[in-house]
């Protein structure tokens, strides 16, 4: 099929050429306003610019290879992520059980076999379990479990938990990731923020409770730890 060439001119006279070839791969939306996506495809060649947003804001729709087919090397891991996953699934189970119990209790109450206190108690427990599930899930989903960097040092792969306690991988260009200094954190803080220029979404990781597996590559993404 014919090749689809997309180009965008942005930022102080620097030209960022983005090209891709149609194939049997999935479609990916690339926000050029936050830097050009260093796609892991031999069909997509990108001249990288400096960190930070580019202007004018342009959004291009391109096709590229699945980033998951690349080879990634681990640069960070959080050993306690398995415990977080277990607690997350336990909260799901607890909430499910309390919700299932509610209908029989209401039926027994209408039949006169259950007291109003039991109805109020089980309802309160179900509501409390739901609130705790939402709170715990909101926290666990924002904790980074592992981070990987591709061989070209262009793409960062970040693994975290979903609402259901499953692993979810996010692929982001290194040029879109803020350094520790850019986020306003200190490298000696217990909890650090993983922020991007293109989205307000914030994840969290810890070099104190987590482990930096490859310091040299880690610092290529987040800056010096000293």
């Amino acid at each position: 099929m014919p090749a689809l060439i997309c180009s965008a001119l942005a930022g102080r006279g620097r030209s960022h050429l983005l090209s891709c070839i149609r194939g049997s791969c999935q479609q990916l939306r690339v926000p050029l306003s936050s830097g050009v996506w260093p796609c892991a495809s031999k069909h997509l060649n990108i001249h990288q610019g400096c960190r930070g947003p580019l202007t004018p804001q342009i959004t291009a729709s391109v096709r590229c290879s699945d980033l998951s087919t690349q080879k990634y090397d681990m640069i960070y891991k959080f050993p306690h992520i398995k415990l977080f996953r277990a607690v997350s699934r336990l909260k799901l189970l607890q909430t499910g059980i309390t919700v299932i119990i509610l209908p029989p209790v209401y039926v027994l109450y209408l039949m006169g076999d259950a007291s109003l206190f039991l109805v109020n108690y089980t309802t309160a427990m179900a509501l409390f379990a739901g609130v705790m599930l939402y709170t715990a899930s909101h926290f666990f989903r924002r904790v980074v479990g592992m981070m990987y960097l591709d061989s070209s040092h262009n793409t960062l792969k970040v693994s975290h938990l979903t609402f259901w306690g499953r692993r979810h991988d996010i692929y982001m260009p290194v040029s879109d990731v803020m350094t520790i200094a850019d986020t306003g954190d200190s490298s000696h803080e217990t909890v650090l923020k993983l922020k991007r220029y293109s989205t307000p979404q914030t994840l969290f990781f810890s070099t104190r409770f987590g482990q930096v597996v490859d310091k040299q590559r880690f610092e290529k993404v987040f800056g010096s730890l000293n």
Side-chain angles (χ1 to χ4, degrees):
M1 297 182 66
L4 174 64
I5 306 298
C6 313
S7 63
L9 182 63
R12 299 183 180 180
R14 293 185 180 182
S15 177
H16 295 266
L17 180 60
L18 187 154
S19 63
C20 63
I21 299 179
R22 292 183 183 274
S24 59
C25 49
Q26 298 180 347
Q27 184 169 340
L28 174 68
R29 297 197 65 83
V30 181
L32 299 183
S33 60
S34 60
V36 183
W37 185 282
C39 180
S41 170
K42 64 180 180 180
H43 303 310
L44 186 58
N45 301 317
I46 295 170
H47 173 70
Q48 286 196 354
C50 57
R51 287 177 181 266
L54 301 177
T55 56
Q57 293 189 354
I58 304 172
T59 301
S61 179
V62 300
R63 292 177 179 271
C64 64
S65 301
D66 188 353
L67 292 172
S68 62
T69 60
Q70 280 200 106
K71 180 182 178 181
Y72 292 87
D73 296 313
M74 180 181 291
I75 61 173
Y76 168 87
K77 67 177 180 179
F78 181 62
H80 306 293
I81 195 65
K82 294 182 179 180
L83 176 61
F84 284 13
R85 180 176 59 185
V87 174
S88 179
R89 293 181 176 179
L90 182 63
K91 294 300 298 181
L92 279 171
L93 179 61
Q94 179 188 7
T95 304
I97 292 175
T98 54
V99 171
I100 291 175
I101 291 176
L102 279 179
V105 171
Y106 288 148
V107 171
L108 291 175
Y109 173 74
L110 294 176
M111 295 175 60
D113 296 331
S115 64
L116 181 61
F117 172 79
L118 179 61
V119 173
N120 293 337
Y121 178 78
T122 53
T123 302
M125 287 296 296
L127 292 176
F128 179 75
V131 172
M132 289 301 297
L133 173 64
Y134 175 81
T135 304
S137 176
H138 180 72
F139 171 74
F140 292 151
R141 283 182 295 167
R142 302 178 70 183
V143 175
V144 174
M146 285 165 284
M147 287 189 282
Y148 306 83
L149 189 64
D150 70 333
S151 56
S152 61
H153 299 168
N154 288 331
T155 306
L156 180 69
K157 174 182 173 182
V158 179
S159 300
H160 68 104
L161 296 177
T162 65
F163 175 82
W164 304 104
R166 298 173 181 172
R167 172 174 171 168
H168 179 247
D169 295 329
I170 302 176
Y171 299 89
M172 56 187 73
V174 172
S175 59
D176 189 34
V177 180
M178 293 186 185
T179 63
I180 295 176
D182 289 341
T183 62
D185 293 337
S186 169
S187 59
H188 301 291
E189 292 185 25
T190 302
V191 179
L192 301 172
K193 293 187 289 289
L194 196 165
K195 301 185 68 175
R196 301 168 61 183
Y197 294 104
S198 61
T199 174
Q201 179 188 21
T202 302
L203 300 176
F204 298 94
F205 64 97
S206 174
T207 55
R208 179 173 298 181
F209 297 106
Q211 179 183 355
V212 177
V213 180
D214 191 327
K215 183 178 179 180
Q216 182 178 3
R217 295 190 179 187
F218 183 89
E219 291 183 341
K220 287 183 179 293
V221 180
F222 296 102
S224 176
L225 291 175
N226 299 325

